[in-house]
């Protein structure tokens, strides 16, 4: 084998005995230019581990296209296979199977490159795992997973940001800020890639500056998710960071960066997918970790601070809690039954009322069937309630004929009642609200479930819980993300 240094030297097999070996397969296919970005991360790991002994990387040049995570480089180059071997090897500080040893290279290629992943997968080692993963065995990687789970659940900034390389963050002037300075603040970790939506950064700057003026204890820390051993990448980091008013994890602190990348499950590119960026919100007391802070901030802005899913939930509850039936209709409003009999709103004031709203093409048949059964069961009893059925554009004749309760006359978008309902349900096509005898709102949901005889017939613990479920659905948040 060859060793890359000022003078090529031969490395005997016996010199590698007893060492942990990583086979670094790189394609010599013409136009395959992604090898460099993958190699730079491995160089960082190699430089940390090689001086300690017991670790070596071997470059194996192959003719197949190796599965690659980074697909942004696509410029074709035209050169001979040997020239491409020399070009790739010139960037590597480790050993290589000589280009002339075609037999050995083909044997290793057949054994390890016929499937997408080899026994020890180089992609998570170099892209997501840092040098702490050494010796990169299954047991060690499982141990790292356990450590990551503890860090994620604890929500401790000290645990998340600490590494052997640094215990501080930096300003865009390069000044060091000790990590303990963040302990009493809500912190947003901006896990950033160079192709993230620029509107997120723009909106975050506005929010950050407004909260700073209000003396709110909020800080943002940039976590720059790019290859860490490239001079051009470091230049890109500083170019990006100098336009940001907040702090950053030091560019060279690759252990912290990759740890955060693992913990919050943000691999840069997996099987051709583009990078993902995120704003992870961390409570100073470690009570919560919100991975969907960017979504919440973009939709709701400063009023949703501290940008956890509970913030828009409280905003929505505040928006509807004072809703009264009188805000929907005046006392002279008229509803009708399926037989044509008409009832004024004044005649149902003082009753328990359910308002069911939907568009005509969104008729909720299972909900209607269960609600009808309860309505008929309780009609004329002390548990009696009334239903006012609102359908924009009017109900289909077959549906209207089967409904025993009050039907709202057809209305359009200019209707004041429709505008109130639109606000209450955030423009959604289906919803239910319920009022008690005193006209107080006791339920508001976009996901009505009719399941028992306790008015209003099933809900989660309270209205805030139901709206929280709605917020999670809006942002497609997993229920166990916290």
């Amino acid at each position: 084998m060859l060793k890359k240094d000022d003078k090529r030297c031969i490395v005997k097999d016996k010199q590698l005995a007893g060492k942990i070996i990583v086979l670094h397969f790189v394609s010599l296919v013409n136009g395959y230019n992604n090898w460099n970005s993958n190699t730079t991360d491995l160089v960082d790991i190699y430089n940390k581990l090689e001086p300690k002994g017991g670790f070596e990387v071997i470059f194996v040049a192959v003719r197949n296209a190796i599965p690659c995570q980074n697909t942004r480089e696509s410029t074709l180059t035209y050169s001979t296979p040997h020239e491409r071997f020399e070009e790739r090897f010139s960037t590597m500080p480790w050993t290589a199977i000589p280009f002339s040893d075609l037999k050995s290279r083909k044997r290793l290629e057949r054994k390890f490159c016929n499937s997408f992943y080899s026994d020890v997968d180089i992609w998570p080692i170099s892209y997501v795992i840092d040098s702490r993963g050494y010796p990169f065995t299954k047991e060690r990687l499982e141990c790292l997973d356990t450590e990551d789970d503890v860090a994620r659940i604890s929500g401790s900034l000290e645990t998340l940001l600490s590494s052997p390389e640094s215990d501080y963050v930096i300003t865009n002037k390069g000044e060091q800020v000790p990590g303990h300075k963040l302990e009493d603040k809500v912190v947003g970790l901006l896990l950033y890639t160079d192709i993230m939506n620029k509107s997120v950064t723009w909106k975050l700057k506005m929010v950050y500056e407004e909260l700073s003026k209000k003396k709110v204890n909020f800080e943002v820390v940039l976590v720059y998710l790019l290859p860490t051993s490239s001079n051009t990448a470091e230049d890109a980091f500083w170019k990006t960071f100098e336009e940001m008013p907040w702090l950053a994890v030091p560019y060279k602190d690759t252990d912290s960066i990759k740890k955060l990348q693992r913990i919050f499950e943000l691999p840069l590119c997996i099987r051709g997918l583009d990078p993902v960026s995120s704003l992870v919100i961390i409570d100073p007391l470690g009570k919560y970790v919100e991975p969907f802070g960017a979504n919440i901030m973009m939709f709701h802005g400063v009023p949703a601070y501290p940008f956890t899913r509970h913030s828009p939930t409280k905003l929505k509850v505040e928006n509807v809690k004072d809703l009264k039936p009188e805000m929907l209709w005046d006392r002279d409003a008229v509803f009708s039954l399926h037989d044509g009999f008409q009832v004024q709103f004044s005649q149902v004031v003082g009753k328990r009322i359910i308002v069911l709203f939907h568009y005509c093409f969104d008729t909720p048949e299972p909900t209607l069937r269960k609600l009808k059964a309860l309505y008929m069961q309780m009609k004329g009893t002390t548990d009696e309630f009334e239903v006012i059925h609102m359908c924009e554009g009017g109900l289909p004749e077959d549906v209207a004929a089967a409904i025993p309760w009050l039907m709202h006359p057809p209305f359009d978008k200019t209707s004041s009642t429709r505008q109130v309902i639109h606000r209450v349900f955030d423009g959604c096509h289906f919803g239910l609200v319920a009022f008690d005898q005193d006209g107080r709102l006791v339920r508001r949901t976009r996901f009505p479930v009719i399941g028992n005889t306790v008015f209003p017939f099933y809900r989660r613990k309270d209205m805030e819980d139901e709206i929280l479920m709605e917020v999670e659905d809006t942002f497609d948040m997993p229920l166990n993300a916290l």
Side-chain angles (χ1 to χ4, degrees):
M1 277 172 286
L2 300 175
K3 177 72 173 181
K4 167 67 178 65
D5 53 20
D6 293 335
K7 294 181 180 180
R8 290 286 173 92
C9 62
I10 303 297
V11 177
K12 300 293 185 181
D13 290 351
K14 63 182 181 181
Q15 293 176 256
L16 302 177
K19 291 188 176 183
I20 298 293
I21 305 295
V22 169
L23 298 179
H24 182 36
F25 292 94
V26 176
S27 176
L28 295 183
V29 171
N30 205 5
Y32 179 85
N33 293 327
N34 301 295
W35 56 275
N36 189 53
S37 57
N38 294 324
T39 298
T40 52
D41 280 322
L42 189 55
V43 168
D44 183 69
I45 293 176
Y46 183 81
N47 289 337
K48 292 177 183 177
L49 295 177
E50 195 272 340
K52 300 177 182 179
F55 178 71
E56 188 56 70
V57 177
I58 301 175
F59 164 37
V60 184
V62 296
R63 296 301 299 268
N64 287 344
I66 303 300
C68 175
Q69 296 175 331
N70 190 325
T71 59
R72 285 176 288 170
E73 302 178 48
S74 58
T75 304
L76 286 175
T77 58
Y78 297 96
S79 56
T80 67
H82 188 259
E83 288 172 339
R84 292 193 289 276
F85 174 87
E86 294 295 335
E87 179 189 10
R88 286 141 172 73
F89 193 31
S90 68
T91 67
M92 302 173 183
W94 44 72
T95 58
I97 302 292
F99 179 78
S100 58
D101 191 354
L102 182 60
K103 182 178 179 181
S104 295
R105 292 195 290 113
K106 282 190 172 183
R107 184 177 69 253
L108 292 170
E109 183 177 357
R110 284 194 301 269
K111 183 172 182 179
F112 294 107
C113 296
N114 287 331
S115 59
F116 192 93
Y117 293 114
S118 58
D119 293 338
V120 179
D121 187 0
I122 193 62
W123 305 122
I125 290 175
S126 63
Y127 237 72
V128 182
I129 306 300
D130 51 59
S131 59
R132 295 186 308 119
Y134 180 80
F136 310 118
T137 60
K138 179 181 178 180
E139 291 74 20
R140 178 54 187 155
L141 298 185
E142 288 176 349
C143 182
L144 276 183
D145 285 341
T146 301
E147 293 175 10
D148 291 345
D149 288 340
V150 171
R152 178 169 43 244
I153 294 170
S154 72
S156 164
L157 273 173
E158 182 179 1
T159 303
L160 290 170
L161 295 178
S162 63
S163 77
E165 296 184 4
S166 69
D167 58 355
Y168 58 85
V169 290
I170 58 174
T171 69
N172 58 12
K173 305 297 182 183
E175 301 162 334
Q176 296 183 6
V177 178
H180 66 80
K181 293 284 188 180
L182 301 174
E183 290 177 356
D184 62 341
K185 296 185 177 184
V186 172
V187 173
L189 297 178
L190 178 62
L191 293 113
Y192 181 96
T193 75
D194 63 340
I195 65 169
M196 80 176 291
N197 190 335
K198 301 302 179 184
S199 62
V200 173
T201 307
W202 177 80
K203 181 68 174 284
L204 183 57
K205 283 183 183 179
M206 293 181 59
V207 168
Y208 181 84
E209 289 167 359
E210 188 170 344
L211 291 174
S212 296
K213 290 176 183 177
K214 295 180 178 181
K215 308 297 183 183
V216 175
N217 256 357
F218 177 63
E219 189 54 77
V220 176
V221 176
L222 169 66
V223 183
Y224 198 69
L225 302 180
L226 277 180
T228 54
S229 301
S230 166
N231 291 332
T232 57
E234 184 167 7
D235 290 343
F237 163 77
W238 284 108
K239 184 177 180 180
T240 298
F241 186 34
E242 68 184 5
E243 298 178 358
M244 296 177 172
W246 43 72
L247 305 173
V249 174
Y251 182 78
K252 296 296 186 181
D253 189 359
T254 56
D255 284 353
S256 289
I257 292 171
K258 290 187 177 181
K259 177 172 66 175
L260 293 169
Q261 193 177 341
R262 288 195 314 272
I263 287 174
F264 298 111
E265 299 179 347
L266 287 168
L268 286 181
C269 291
I270 293 295
R271 303 187 185 183
L273 297 180
D274 288 337
V276 179
S277 299
S278 183
L279 182 67
V280 179
I281 305 297
I282 301 173
D283 174 72
L285 301 178
K287 291 181 180 178
Y288 57 76
V289 175
E290 176 57 76
F292 293 91
N295 306 69
I296 296 164
M297 183 224 25
M298 289 296 289
F299 272 84
H300 300 280
V302 171
Y305 175 80
F307 315 119
T308 70
R309 63 194 65 195
H310 296 284
S311 304
T313 299
K314 290 177 180 177
L315 290 174
K316 288 176 181 288
V317 171
E318 194 68 24
N319 186 48
V320 302
K321 70 177 184 179
D322 295 327
L323 182 68
K324 303 286 185 182
E326 293 79 9
M327 296 170 66
L328 296 169
W329 309 282
D330 59 42
R331 296 180 68 86
D332 296 328
V334 176
F335 312 112
S336 61
L337 293 169
H338 67 277
D339 59 3
F341 187 79
Q342 294 188 331
V343 176
Q344 284 191 327
F345 176 59
S346 59
Q347 294 175 260
V348 297
V349 172
K351 292 185 177 181
R352 297 183 299 176
I353 300 173
I354 288 177
V355 181
L356 192 65
F357 168 81
H358 62 90
Y359 287 115
C360 58
F361 50 81
D362 284 326
T363 305
E365 293 184 5
T367 299
L368 290 181
R369 286 197 302 270
K370 293 179 181 179
L371 186 59
K372 181 179 177 180
L374 285 173
Y375 181 85
M376 300 305 295
Q377 176 183 338
M378 297 181 182
K379 196 69 176 175
T381 71
T382 56
D383 293 323
E384 186 178 47
F385 62 93
E386 191 53 77
V387 176
I388 300 176
H389 199 134
M390 299 178 63
C391 179
E392 187 169 329
L395 286 166
E397 290 186 6
D398 59 331
V399 176
I403 287 178
W405 48 68
L406 301 178
M407 289 176 283
H408 195 285
F411 57 92
D412 57 29
K413 294 181 179 180
T414 63
S415 163
S416 59
T417 299
R418 194 269 184 191
Q419 291 175 10
V420 174
I421 287 291
H422 185 84
R423 173 179 63 82
V424 168
F425 291 112
D426 297 320
C428 293
H429 294 173
F430 180 42
L432 178 150
V433 292
F435 303 93
D436 64 12
Q437 292 95 328
D438 297 324
R440 293 176 301 182
L441 182 69
V442 293
R443 190 176 185 195
R444 176 268 189 209
T445 179
R446 281 174 38 204
F447 308 109
V449 177
I450 309 299
N452 57 36
T453 57
V454 179
F455 188 83
F457 315 122
Y458 178 85
R459 58 179 176 177
R460 289 161 68 93
K461 293 179 181 177
D462 52 35
M463 189 159 52
E464 187 166 326
D465 280 346
E466 284 202 300
I467 293 179
L468 173 61
M469 182 173 65
E470 174 184 315
V471 167
E472 289 171 336
D473 178 74
T474 300
F475 293 128
D476 197 24
M477 298 172 172
L479 295 176
N480 61 351
L482 294 183

